Amino acid sequence: MIGENIRGNSKTYVVTERLLKSQGDRPNANIYVCEDEKNIKYILKHFYSKTPVSFIGYSKHNHYGRRRDGSHRVFNEIQKKNTQYPFLLKHIERIKHKNKWLIILEYIEGSTLSYFIQKNHPIDFNKVNDAIEQFGLELKNWHSSEFAHGDPHLDNVMISYKNDGSYSIKLIDYGQLHHPDFHYCKKVNCYKDKNKRINEDLKNTNSKLGNGFLNGLTDLEKKLDIPDKLTSIFKKAYY
């Protein structure tokens, strides 16, 4: 796919780099970088194996589907929220290319929070402190706006530098995103217990998805042998 031209609604994108190849026995999507005619970068998520589906009824209490964000309904719901909630990753457009679906997303320059923490500890823990504090504030903003990520692990958190030297945090990969306005959240009554989805973002026991952002920090504490150091920073910012 590298080097291919992808014709969108109002511009053409050139695929320049592959970031992630789907792995395992349940392939989801390949992730690429692409550029438009002005050399502006975007993320291209290519659902190469199966057609994205909004709803898979494995459970009456959830709306699973590994390619949900590529479906017409879910993509449009997220895109509609982009203008109202700037913390959401911008969903640019949805394209059918060679009989397969792909979506064009905002490009984030940076690294995953998991990688960032391990790279900078113990060399410069002030950087780690600032990053986790910013993450706590970002997730608090999400949850106060009634969004829940739905697949909460630290590789779904991107961190990048801003021009003023501070950090920018973006949650990525919205295949399981929840909000009270969304069609399938209403269908399975996601917000019957208002805090259920939010609590799952922090500590999740569902083996199908991420085990929770707070649990992820706890796991890193064990790996780095720094008990309570990461979670205490997060909790101070989040609560």
Side-chain angles (χ1 to χ4, degrees), residues 54-55 60-63 68 73 77 80-81 177-192 197:
S54 296
F55 178 77
K60 63 182 179 180
H61 304 299
N62 210 328
H63 38 79
R68 294 187 71 251
R73 181 189 292 275
E77 287 180 325
K80 186 177 179 180
K81 292 293 185 186
L177 190 66
H178 302 286
H179 190 273
D181 291 345
F182 290 168
H183 176 85
Y184 287 104
C185 284
K186 294 177 181 177
K187 180 181 178 68
V188 301
N189 210 1
C190 276
Y191 286 82
K192 180 180 180 180
R197 295 304 184 202

Side-chain angles (χ1 to χ4, degrees), residues 28-165:
N28 182 9
N30 286 334
I31 309 298
Y32 297 88
V33 177
C34 64
E35 296 182 4
D36 65 13
E37 297 95 332
K38 297 180 180 179
N39 299 120
I40 298 173
K41 291 183 177 181
Y42 302 88
I43 292 295
L44 185 156
K45 190 171 184 178
H46 181 222
F47 303 93
Y48 67 94
S49 65
K50 295 181 180 179
T51 300
V53 177
S54 296
F55 178 77
I56 300 176
Y58 292 152
S59 168
K60 63 182 179 180
H61 304 299
N62 210 328
H63 38 79
Y64 299 120
R66 290 169 61 83
R67 292 161 290 274
R68 294 187 71 251
D69 49 338
S71 69
H72 178 76
R73 181 189 292 275
V74 175
F75 181 88
N76 286 354
E77 287 180 325
I78 298 171
Q79 189 181 55
K80 186 177 179 180
K81 292 293 185 186
N82 280 161
T83 54
Q84 188 178 358
Y85 298 98
F87 55 76
L88 293 176
L89 190 73
K90 288 184 176 60
H91 284 48
I92 311 299
E93 59 179 317
R94 179 175 176 267
I95 301 167
K96 196 166 191 179
H97 175 73
K98 295 184 177 179
N99 213 35
K100 298 294 182 183
W101 287 102
L102 58 87
I103 57 178
I104 305 294
L105 308 167
E106 174 186 0
Y107 177 79
I108 304 295
E109 184 78 53
S111 66
T112 68
L113 185 58
S114 177
Y115 176 82
F116 181 89
I117 292 170
Q118 294 178 80
K119 178 184 176 183
N120 287 287
H121 169 81
I123 303 166
D124 190 347
F125 196 77
N126 285 334
K127 286 184 178 180
V128 174
N129 188 102
D130 292 347
I132 295 175
E133 184 177 82
Q134 187 60 40
F135 172 50
L137 293 172
E138 182 73 5
L139 193 61
K140 181 179 182 178
N141 193 20
W142 266 63
H143 289 166
S144 64
S145 301
E146 298 188 280
F147 284 94
H149 185 275
D151 189 9
H153 57 81
L154 297 183
D155 286 335
N156 275 340
V157 183
M158 290 291 295
I159 179 168
S160 56
Y161 288 104
K162 296 169 71 174
N163 291 334
D164 62 4

Side-chain angles (χ1 to χ4, degrees), residues 204-234:
N204 191 16
T205 58
N206 190 329
S207 60
K208 295 178 182 292
L209 304 167
N211 73 338
F213 295 122
L214 194 53
N215 281 344
L217 292 173
T218 301
D219 290 344
L220 269 186
E221 288 174 337
K222 293 176 182 176
K223 182 177 181 178
L224 301 173
D225 195 21
I226 47 172
D228 298 324
K229 204 165 184 180
L230 305 178
T231 52
S232 61
I233 298 166
F234 173 85

